Amino acid sequence: MAPPEASSAAFPNRYASNALRHAFGDVLSYFILLLIGVLAFSIRIFSVIKYESVIHEFDPYFNYRVTKFLTKQGIYEFWNWFDDRTWYPLGRVIGGTVYPGLTLTAGTIWWLLNSLNIPLSVETVCVFTAPIFSALASWATYLLTKEVKGAGAGLTSAFLLAMVPSYISRSVAGSYDNEAVAIFALIFTFGLYIKTLNTGSLFYATLNALAYFYMVCSWGGYTFIINLIPMHVLLCVVTGRYSSRLYIAYAPLVVLGTLLAASVPVVGFNAVMTSEHFASFLVFIIIHVVAFVYYIKGILSPKMFKVAVTLVVSVGLAVCCAMIAVLIALVASSPTKGWSGRSLSLLDPTYASKYIPIIASVSEHQPPTWPSYFMDINVLAFLVPAGIIACFLPLSDASSFAVLYIATSAYFSGVMVRLMLVLAPAACITSGIALSEAFDVFTRSIKFQLPGVLSNAEVDVGETSSAVVEAQNVAGKTDKPEETSKDRPSRKKKKERVHEEKPSTKAKAEKKRLLALPLAASVISLLLLVFLGAFYVRHCVWAAAEVYSAPSVVLSYRSHGRLHIFDDFREAYAWLRHNTDVNDKVASWWDYGYQTTAMANRTVIVDNNTWNNTHIATVGTAMSSPERAAWEIFHSLDVKYVFVIFGGLIGYPSDDINKFLWMVRIGGGLFPHIKEADYLRDGSYRIDSKATPTMLNCLMYKLSYYRFVETDGKAFDKVRQTEIGKKYFKLTHFEEVFTTHHWMVRIYKLKPPKNRIRGKTKKSKPVQFSLFCSKNNSDVHLQVDFNLLMLWQKTSSRNSSRSGAQKKNPWH
Amino acid sequence: MEKFWVIFATSIFILLPFTCNSFSLETPTDRRVLVLLDDFAIKSSHSSYFNSLRSRGFDLDFKLADDPKVALQRYGQYLYDALILFCPSVERFGGSIDVAAIINFVDSGHDLIIAADVNASDLIREVATECGVDFDEDPSAMVIDHTGYAVSETEGDHTLIVSADFIKSDVILGSKKITAPVLFQGIGHSLNPVNSLVLKVLSASPSAYSANPKSKLSTPPLLTGSAIALVSVIQARNNARILISGSLSMFSNRFFRSGVQKSGSSTKHEKSGNEQFLTEISKWVFHERGHLKAVNVKHHKVGETDEPALYRINDELVYSVEIYEWSGESWEPYVADDVQVQFYMMSPYVLKTLSNDHKGLYSASFKVPDVYGVFQFKVEYQKLGYTSLSLAKQIPVRPYRHNEYERFMPTAYPYYGAAFSTMAGFFIFSFVHLYNK
């Protein structure tokens, strides 16, 4: 409780007391920021404590593999890396198709640590990159919100962001994915934009372009920035808020940012050629026109100006119309209207499900449900409206940006679950503003309502509310007055003015006394707010510890007080690594491609980078075909091993049978002999005795349920909660080579072509069915509820263009 | 020390026959042959054929088919390189041999000669069916030809027929033309036309049919004309070779020696073609002919000698392979002008005929296509009578590195000009703006 003591000690000299309070406020807020950083880091290492220090999920394994390559081979080799172990036989140019930000960041950290003789493994660095960057992200939030509504709001927002579950889900230790660093870059870029907007400094504008560059390096979501900032600029121009600061904040960003973005290999000419970037150029032109108009207005007399306006507008309108017509014609001539499929599905939420099954098949590209809002941003959902109102009291350039940010991101999050991640910082910023304003109002009310001297009230406030609140209060109040003044000079001048204005705050306070709330109401509301905060903290810690920490390569389930660990994935990958030839090709559904290359070090046909729809459709077709046709497809791709994920024994719901309809849809999209209707009985998807013959004879069914009846004698599938339709069958072209402990991964080998071709004489051989004895295995009887584990995510970083030509299977 | 040398030398001498005589990739000709007979009388009645085999260095081991001690393998090792089944009537093999054992014997790369006959047992038929040959299902049917029968003292039932309808392949039947027709008496078989592994070596004349000669023909025969195969060979995918004949007697000394005259033909051959035909075909079956090997697959960039780990698009490269044919004693260079190499990624991007230097070295030089990916050098050489060569070697092709593109393109000069003139213009403008007051 340093500040109250200090302020009471410094009481006699009011001016000195204010200066001291400032100093202590600054120190305190830095200390709090440090603690917030520690909090952000430590809340994310539940996964390491509960499980182990592993890379999570799917995409992180690819990033980890790339990072290993980078640290071993150096940056030039990485840039030119042609990977021949994925997308066989097409290969993939990794250097030119990957966002290198994350990899370079982790690689730099690793190199730095090693040159300081701290011998950490690449894996450790990768595991802890995300928590480190979430600490940085919360500091960036502080910077951003401080520019919008002062340090108090900044601290509150930083605190909220440090533990918002939505962001935790993507940045727990081990979740080594682009978003982990990209969210920091996003907030930091916005923060610097607001900073430039507030100060009009070219220095910050340059920094802003560099931050934007880092964002472009890190994540495809940079298009959000390059559309949101122009939108805000346009908003400012339309509402008559054009100023030279706005010009400085925007023009350098577009020029430098586009140049820098174009030098990232994966973006390249996209930075000037795709529709996602057009808005920024259009606004760039508009802001120049507006700047020019303001300049002309300055030198011409009002009358002359009017004449000039009518002249220019009539000519300009005609030119504009012609330009727009040309532009529209150009854009309309391309089949997707120049927009990539994923962007189109943002504008038209039904686009993907209608036309691109491969985008629609990814669970995180589905629209979210209402509970997921409560799960991911919790009480912030209720605080956001209050924050928006606070932003309008009064509306500044910066606060209008906050409003615009929350509005657009709320829309995008409604389209795709994944973009909840973009909403989270916006929600934290506005909620932080709301909370901070509320605390401000209540504590001020208490201060004025309390009987006694003003100076005593300050001590009381310090005692009743926590140190955090006090700091916010102090910081909030000091920055309050000049936030309201519209035209702001540079930051330095502001600081000076704060001190000059300080004595007059007392007079203002007297005025505000009339607006103060009753004492009891304030105290109760304060308590309720603290309670709300406590609820939020409790939810976040629970979410971090229980929901989002599972690495998804290792599954755990607690039943009857016993902890069951399902380590089948790594078991299967280890088997592949040790028992197959190094050049063997392994086929599976694309979800497991990254893991197979990273963990088993085997060549895969398709992986999570879904850039080639035809290739994925081929694998989908093979999985949906009968055994012989599937064998031919796989054989033509030189595949030696095929594996499927099967959850029917232990009740793991995200297995291949549940994803199978997507394989049929994606395969059928390119090879029309695969029809979804053939796999559905009266429109319902089933694998029991009423399933269609096509379903019961397709490769996926056979590979999943081969010998399944031997486990319990009835072949009861625990995920589908039914007995399977066809229990006894033999495989003719595939042979089972390995099945993991809980049957989650089943690996099959393609049989070689027959050495001889038999004659046609038919022989009546007695059909033999071996009687299977049912084995009582304790693990078999685990009824596992994986509902929480369903919250796993898959990511696919790029989408493929849908090929228009409908062809038959080219391998026939 | 001396003792050690003695032991070493003797052990080598003891082991030498085993190490040298077994079937191997280096010497593909068979050495040890097991002959299973119905009774030992065949050994003497078919001695010419066996002697011709023995004279070529084969080690024949005669056993009765139902001998309980007969075995193909011991301790997981095959005891023989080839098997001759001259036991058409056996119902059950002795020892550990059954259909599956014979099929496994073939599937592990060993050769097989089957001679069936009238009333061939189900066992023999089953082995033949596994190999892709379907004997006439009627157990007492024989091939009858009323126009192409062999003239003999007694007018028989025309089951001793004459055929000169050979497969046209020097590799299988030798380069020397078989002038005399072949005598045949036995059952016919049919082949599935889609089966690409089995070849009809000797087929019946168009007037032949397969039926029971003793009973009256009530229904039209199922097998007629030149669809009837008399002798067929099979080369399995692992290059194991199988000979199936519907007649055991065609191997006999009597058929070998007897003269032959086709009915309605005036030419009478002193000696039937059986001996030449069957000896030549046994050379093929036992890999004395038509066995190829490809070694020293090499590829490198033009002007270099080391094999790179990957190529860049548009590289010029040289591919070479050495192909030899086994002559029975040594590997001779194989000379042909139809060996092709594919540069293959899902489909061949380059298909080029290899040129050879008549010493076995085949080579071709071509340009890597302007497509990156994981390619394969593929040689798929399947020629009638020869063992199939199928070589595949994986090689990735990468795109240009960032610094391998052309640096200053003439077409880009306007852009360079624009950039530099703008920079100069801006400099002048700033200078004028700042110092012009």
Side-chain angles (χ1 to χ4, degrees), chain A residues 76-77 79-80 82 84 88-90 93 583 585 615 637-638 753-761 763 811, chain B residues 103 107 126 129-132 134 195 197 236-238 345-346 372-374 376 394 396-397 399 401-402:
Chain A
Y76 283 104
E77 286 302 315
W79 184 0
N80 292 303
F82 173 68
D84 57 352
Y88 181 86
L90 307 170
V93 187
N583 282 323
K585 282 85 193 167
H615 228 47
L637 289 168
D638 298 332
K754 278 228 161 128
N755 192 32
R756 297 155 287 103
I757 301 174
R758 280 199 71 219
K760 57 190 166 185
T761 312
K763 283 224 190 68
W811 284 277
Chain B
I103 293 308
D107 286 348
E126 201 178 320
T129 306
E130 284 292 336
C131 300
D134 304 308
N195 188 340
L197 302 177
R237 290 209 171 88
N238 64 354
M345 181 174 77
M346 292 202 281
Y372 56 81
V374 184
Q376 282 174 314
Q394 182 175 317
V397 173
R401 288 172 67 92
H402 68 278

Side-chain angles (χ1 to χ4, degrees), chain A residues 71 102-116 118 120 125-126 128-130 132-133 136 181 214:
Chain A
T71 53
L102 175 76
T103 318
L104 291 179
T105 308
T108 313
I109 295 175
W110 180 84
W111 174 81
L112 212 68
L113 288 172
N114 267 266
S115 52
L116 292 174
I118 306 172
L120 283 182
V125 173
C126 292
F128 289 103
T129 299
I132 291 170
F133 270 80
L136 294 180
V181 299
Y214 185 65

Side-chain angles (χ1 to χ4, degrees), chain A residues 38 80 392 524 563 667 735 781:
Chain A
V38 171
N80 292 303
F392 277 99
I524 289 169
L563 186 69
E735 60 180 323
H781 292 288

Side-chain angles (χ1 to χ4, degrees), chain A residues 158-405:
Chain A
F159 171 73
L160 292 176
L161 185 104
M163 52 199 312
V164 64
S166 172
Y167 186 30
I168 286 179
S169 75
R170 290 318 185 85
S171 63
V172 291
S175 183
Y176 178 56
D177 209 348
N178 288 338
E179 289 92 332
V181 299
I183 292 302
F184 157 71
L186 181 85
I187 302 170
F188 195 53
T189 312
F190 285 150
L192 283 170
Y193 169 70
I194 300 292
K195 183 86 181 172
T196 324
L197 199 57
N198 281 347
T199 56
S201 143
L202 257 180
F203 171 70
Y204 285 117
T206 318
L207 272 190
N208 189 18
L210 288 176
Y212 173 67
F213 175 57
Y214 185 65
M215 177 69 192
V216 177
C217 281
S218 305
W219 195 33
Y222 75 91
T223 46
F224 182 61
I225 296 182
I226 206 63
N227 283 301
L228 184 64
I229 290 180
M231 268 167 79
H232 180 245
V233 170
L234 201 64
L235 185 79
C236 289
V237 167
V238 169
T239 52
R241 287 169 164 272
Y242 173 80
S243 63
S244 56
R245 287 176 290 105
L246 188 68
Y247 183 85
I248 290 169
Y250 186 66
L253 174 68
V254 171
V255 177
L256 284 177
T258 306
L259 278 177
L260 289 170
S263 60
V264 178
V266 63
V267 178
F269 280 108
N270 286 352
V272 285
M273 306 243 303
T274 56
S275 304
E276 281 93 339
H277 303 80
F278 281 175
S280 63
F281 299 127
L282 192 68
V283 173
F284 187 68
I285 295 167
I286 290 174
I287 200 169
H288 275 96
V289 171
V290 170
F292 185 67
V293 169
Y294 271 81
Y295 175 70
I296 298 291
K297 201 176 177 180
I299 49 174
L300 288 183
S301 64
K303 205 179 158 194
M304 282 290 284
F305 180 69
K306 250 185 188 163
V307 174
V309 164
T310 41
L311 196 76
V312 168
V313 162
S314 48
V315 174
L317 221 58
V319 174
C320 267
C321 284
M323 290 267 284
I324 287 168
V326 169
L327 205 70
I328 287 175
L330 269 179
V331 169
S333 65
S334 82
T336 56
K337 312 275 180 284
W339 292 75
S340 67
R342 199 162 301 171
S343 308
L344 272 180
S345 69
L346 283 181
L347 297 176
D348 173 12
T350 57
Y351 178 84
S353 54
K354 266 189 283 188
Y355 302 113
I356 312 172
I358 202 147
I359 291 183
S361 75
V362 181
S363 62
E364 62 179 21
H365 292 162
Q366 310 292 337
T369 52
W370 283 113
S372 70
Y373 274 98
F374 190 72
M375 177 70 207
D376 274 358
I377 57 173
N378 201 243
V379 300
L380 305 185
F382 309 114
L383 290 171
V384 163
I388 294 174
I389 293 170
C391 284
F392 277 99
L393 302 169
L395 190 68
S396 65
D397 291 351
S399 65
S400 70
F401 181 79
V403 174
L404 199 65
Y405 181 19

